Amino acid sequence: MSRSERSPLLLAGLLATAGIAHFAAPRVFDSIVPRALPGTPRAWTYASGAAELALAAGIALPRTRPLAARTAAAFFVGVFPANVKMAVDWRHRPTPQRAAAYGRLPLQLPLVLWARGVARGGEGRS
């Protein structure tokens, strides 16, 4: 299997893993839901987990891959405020946790670019 064939499947796997994590350990995700959003953090946690699972399925299927990957790119932009909230909230935690929270911020750009590459049918990143 070539890199360009693996890349969408790796992205789908990443999204599926994240989606499952939202249901398996929702408390972790509840804590990073921005307070400005209406409704309960748990509803947003489950909704974003379901969205990740749907995006994973869409990217895994060649017929729906371009639209699902473009939507995933937008999703990665949309969840960035949660990553910012996590970095702010974790700024006084021990160094390893703080580093993980800060490290998530610049990772959003490669995720967006990866999804866009998959949408175009290119490798994006693998």
Side-chain angles (χ1 to χ4, degrees):
M1 183 180 284
S2 71
R3 286 180 63 180
S4 63
E5 292 170 323
R6 278 193 322 263
S7 185
L9 299 178
L10 290 171
L11 180 59
L14 175 89
L15 284 161
T17 301
I20 291 166
H22 280 70
F23 292 96
R27 193 173 302 161
V28 174
F29 298 96
D30 292 348
S31 69
I32 65 172
V33 173
R35 290 187 256 307
L37 292 175
T40 65
R42 182 62 50 94
W44 285 100
T45 294
Y46 286 158
S48 61
E52 286 169 327
L53 291 170
L55 290 168
I59 290 169
L61 300 171
R63 186 172 59 85
T64 55
R65 183 171 297 151
L67 176 60
R70 285 192 303 273
T71 305
F75 178 83
F76 291 139
V77 171
V79 299
F80 187 71
N83 292 340
V84 171
K85 182 182 183 309
M86 182 182 193
V88 169
D89 289 350
W90 288 25
R91 69 187 178 278
H92 300 299
R93 291 210 177 176
T95 301
Q97 291 177 327
R98 190 171 57 243
Y102 292 162
R104 288 178 62 148
L105 297 174
L107 287 177
Q108 289 303 114
L109 181 59
L111 289 173
V112 169
L113 296 175
W114 184 12
R116 288 182 60 207
V118 167
R120 288 191 308 268
E123 290 183 26
R125 161 193 129 153
S126 57

